[in-house]
Structure formats: C-alpha cells, structure tokens
Amino acid sequence: MRDDRITIPHLVKMKKDKRKITMLTAYDHPLALLVDRCGIDIILVGDSLGNVVLGYDSTVPVTMEEMIHHAKAVRRAVSHAFLIGDLPFMSYNISPREAVRNAGRFLKEAGCDAVKLEGGEETVDAVSRIVKAGIPVLGHLGLTPQTISKLGGFKVQGRDAKGARKIINSALALQEAGCFGIVLECIPDKVAGIISEKLDIFTLGIGAGPRCDGQVLVLHDLLGLYSGFKPKFVKQYADLSGDIQSAVTAFKNDIEEGRFPTKDFSFAMSDKEARKLNED
Ligand code: KIV
C-alpha cells in the first residue's frame, strides 16, 4: 500500500483539523487516473454512471453487475484516493442480508475501500449490518436520486422546519448506525451547517452550501461532458463536450479536404525497394 493512500483516519483528522475534504465521481480507468493524480481525497464510483455514462434517464435501472464492472476499472487506476462503490437501487433495500452480500462484492470483487447507500432511518438496519460485517459505509441524505419518484422530482429537500428536522434526525441515526461520513445533497446551507456541527463524522455537500466538511460533484458535470439536466449547484470548470466536438469535426474536415494524413503521419519506403517494387 502506498504511504500517501487516503484512509478513514486521514478523513476523520481532516474534519478535526477543519481541512476541507474533496470527493469526485469516476467511472472508467483514464479519467480515474487523472482525478487520482490531482490528489482528490475520495473517488466515488457513483450510480450516476447510469445517467452520465450508460445513457439511462435515471439511476434506477443501474445494476450491481454494471457497478462492479466500472468499479474494477477505476480500482486499477486509483492509488491515492479512498475508493467508494455506490450500492445501486434495490441492492440493499430488500433485506439487510442482501445488503451485506452486495456491499461485500464491492470490496471482494472490485477492491473498493467502502460503500455508499442512500436513505435515512429506513436504512439503519442495513447500515449497521454492513458495518458489523467490517465494511465502512458512507450515508446519503436529502435529495436521493434513487427514490426521486417518491420525492416528486429533483427538488431541494428540508426547506421547511419539519423536513429539516427529519434530515437532521436521519443524520444522527446514520452516525449511530456506524456511518463514517454522510453526503448531503440539495438541502439548504443552514440545515447542512447544523448537521455538520452536530455530527462527529464528516459531511460532504452537493448543493448543500459551504458549511459542509467537504464537497462532491459528478465529474462529467464539472468537466462539461454531460449534456443532460444541469442543476444550479454544478460549477462547470471546463467544456470538454465542446472541445471533443471541435476535435472530431476538425478530423473529419481534414480527411475530406486532404489535409490528413500528411507525410509526417505516413511511412516511407527506401528508393531501392520502391524501384524493385516497380520492376516486379
Ligand atoms: O451517484 C453519485 O454520483 C452520487 C453523488 C452525486 C454523491 O451519489
């Protein structure tokens, strides 16, 4: 194991020292390699791969097999970040026993360091059983995309006092059940601040304001590589879709107009061999 590899004690200390934690998603080898090289603390093989890589219109259809396939590719690239596999919809909701089995697959088959799952008090049994089996769990509260139809769409959660209190209680329950951290998605910054102060474990915000202990974004949103819905909380740092389209169009035009391949991209034959070829 590399000695600069991020572990849970590192992340716990970062919260204690008030140093912000960074997490990004990755789903394949080349991008995971680049993300890891930048020193990001946690890489999540998120089930958002359903939207941004597999072309589904939600995360609901994503399967364990798809998650494991992508997590293995990411594992082969990551040598610094703490690596988390995201349990897909219905892989942990049927029974705690099945939840433990599927969580175990991320560690045994894909080499992940931990798993993430969505939901509040209803997931406490599954969380504590997975943790008791020796598998670290990251919770996920607020806007939980796997149950978007129950939530009535992509809406900020916990905007009224009753809703906010429910999320705060769920965060406390997940901490009690043994989670080592919690993702807070799309909730008011005030609520995220209260949770981050109340909990000993760290919080990672996505659309939850600056008072969380760290931040997470979907890599393809940050890179401008996903043309679907772009939530208000996404800061786009690059326009890779634009760059890729310009490059592919330039390639097509170069071929059609005879600018590629030139001599520089071709292989020469000696004059002697060329003469022989002509004689034959
Ligand atoms: O699947 C995912 O990418 C996530 C992050 C948005 C936290 O759950």
Side-chain angles (χ1 to χ4, degrees):
M1 191 189 270
R2 261 174 66 163
D3 55 7
D4 67 341
R5 199 158 160 172
I6 301 288
T7 59
I8 292 177
H10 277 107
L11 300 167
V12 170
K13 187 157 186 314
M14 285 179 82
K15 166 149 182 154
K16 195 163 160 260
D17 296 346
K18 298 194 179 336
R19 279 184 296 137
K20 294 284 185 186
I21 300 168
T22 52
M23 174 159 102
L24 276 177
T25 62
Y27 319 98
D28 61 33
H29 191 273
L31 289 179
L33 208 56
L34 295 176
V35 171
D36 196 47
R37 256 186 221 160
C38 297
I40 289 293
D41 301 305
I42 306 176
I43 293 180
L44 170 71
V45 185
D47 66 349
S48 51
L49 85 87
N51 300 97
V52 302
V53 173
L54 299 180
Y56 298 142
D57 61 4
S58 81
T59 57
V60 170
V62 177
T63 65
M64 270 305 294
E65 301 315 316
E66 287 164 339
M67 291 303 303
I68 295 284
H69 174 78
H70 285 265
K72 281 180 171 175
V74 172
R75 172 75 283 168
R76 290 191 282 269
V78 173
S79 59
H80 168 72
F82 190 73
L83 181 62
I84 303 180
D86 207 2
L87 282 161
F89 185 53
M90 282 298 140
S91 66
Y92 57 94
N93 324 66
I94 295 167
S95 72
R97 197 181 159 83
E98 225 172 292
V100 174
R101 187 179 305 118
N102 284 319
R105 290 191 63 192
F106 273 108
L107 273 73
K108 278 183 81 81
E109 294 175 39
C112 290
D113 300 309
V115 298
K116 176 173 86 61
L117 58 80
E118 295 183 5
E121 285 165 88
E122 72 285 2
T123 65
V124 156
D125 273 355
V127 169
S128 63
R129 290 280 292 277
I130 297 171
V131 172
K132 277 190 194 123
I135 301 167
V137 180
L138 180 68
H140 185 157
L141 293 172
L143 196 157
T144 44
Q146 291 175 8
T147 45
I148 204 68
S149 52
K150 188 172 137 201
L151 298 178
F154 283 89
K155 293 180 190 152
V156 180
Q157 302 296 304
R159 267 202 151 136
D160 58 9
K162 188 171 167 223
R165 219 167 279 128
K166 188 163 183 267
I167 298 172
I168 295 167
N169 290 337
S170 289
L172 289 166
L174 288 179
Q175 173 171 267
E176 185 65 28
C179 281
F180 65 90
I182 301 181
V183 170
L184 299 174
E185 180 162 354
C186 222
I187 63 173
D189 50 4
K190 181 162 181 59
V191 181
I194 293 170
I195 294 172
S196 305
E197 265 173 36
K198 269 187 188 287
L199 295 187
D200 297 322
I201 59 175
F202 63 81
T203 60
L204 296 167
I206 173 161
R211 291 167 64 194
C212 296
D213 302 306
Q215 298 292 325
V216 48
L217 278 181
V218 168
L219 182 65
H220 288 53
D221 288 341
L222 173 158
L223 296 178
L225 199 48
Y226 177 59
S227 50
F229 173 65
K230 179 166 162 263
K232 170 184 162 154
F233 56 73
V234 168
K235 182 169 178 186
Q236 193 181 314
Y237 287 81
D239 175 25
L240 292 198
S241 292
D243 291 348
I244 290 170
Q245 285 180 75
S246 304
V248 172
T249 306
F251 167 75
K252 183 175 188 295
N253 291 342
D254 272 2
I255 292 169
E256 288 171 355
E257 290 157 30
R259 285 189 297 269
F260 178 81
T262 54
K263 256 187 156 179
D264 289 346
F265 298 95
S266 310
F267 302 96
M269 196 180 207
S270 70
D271 289 347
K272 189 175 154 205
E273 291 304 318
R275 268 196 306 276
K276 267 204 220 163
L277 184 65
N278 281 341
E279 281 161 12
D280 288 344

